[in-house]
Amino acid sequence: MPIKVEIISPEKVLVSRDVDMVVMPGEEGDIAAMPEHAPMMLLLRGGTVALYDGDTVTDRYFVGGGFADMTPVRCTILADEAVPVTEISIDSATARLEELTEAWDAADKSDAARLEGLMAKIQSVRAEIDAGAGN
């Protein structure tokens, strides 16, 4: 019995199909959604979502954070940004990482909220580079 997965970015629906399992990057660690999973909502960190048919990964998508809503029959991922791993531009991601690193260096170190936001973006771009390099 498969589970219906949807990966939705602000621009479009990237995926809407049945799979055997979805492994996604939760804030607290990777988590798998499978048929009959207990209902759950969770925050996502930047990382790779892997779609499985049987024991085989059939597709991988990078998500730059967001939310996942899991039910026993469905997993809906609302991503801040999402792209197939095969479409990641390492050059573009590396340039964004350099810009964020410069912003971090220039940031007021007493502004905890600003530093936290920058760190989350830096970690997401690093995950994007890792996903693209592993492609």
Side-chain angles (χ1 to χ4, degrees):
M1 180 171 138
I3 185 170
K4 173 85 169 198
V5 64
E6 293 181 312
I7 301 176
I8 303 167
S9 74
E11 294 83 26
K12 64 182 178 178
V13 175
L14 278 87
V15 175
S16 181
R17 68 181 178 96
D18 290 342
V19 298
D20 291 319
M21 180 172 65
V22 181
V23 177
M24 63 200 109
E27 279 286 332
E28 304 288 324
D30 290 354
I31 188 166
M34 297 180 288
E36 304 305 319
H37 194 290
M40 172 186 293
M41 293 266 316
L42 73 142
L43 284 171
L44 299 175
R45 69 180 193 284
T48 302
V49 175
L51 307 183
Y52 286 78
D53 284 327
D55 292 337
T56 304
V57 175
T58 57
D59 295 293
R60 294 182 331 130
Y61 295 85
F62 171 77
V63 295
F67 295 89
D69 179 23
M70 292 185 281
T71 71
V73 296
R74 177 183 297 274
C75 177
T76 302
I77 295 171
L78 302 174
D80 297 338
E81 63 176 297
V83 63
V85 167
T86 56
E87 295 179 17
I88 290 174
S89 166
I90 299 224
D91 291 338
S92 174
T94 301
R96 285 197 323 272
L97 180 59
E98 289 173 10
E99 291 172 11
L100 288 166
T101 302
E102 289 172 10
W104 173 271
D105 291 341
D108 176 358
K109 299 305 185 251
S110 66
D111 186 350
R114 171 88 172 129
L115 293 176
E116 184 178 326
L118 282 170
M119 184 53 65
K121 289 178 183 178
I122 288 170
Q123 289 171 339
S124 180
V125 172
R126 285 181 178 159
E128 182 178 0
I129 292 168
D130 288 347
N135 177 23

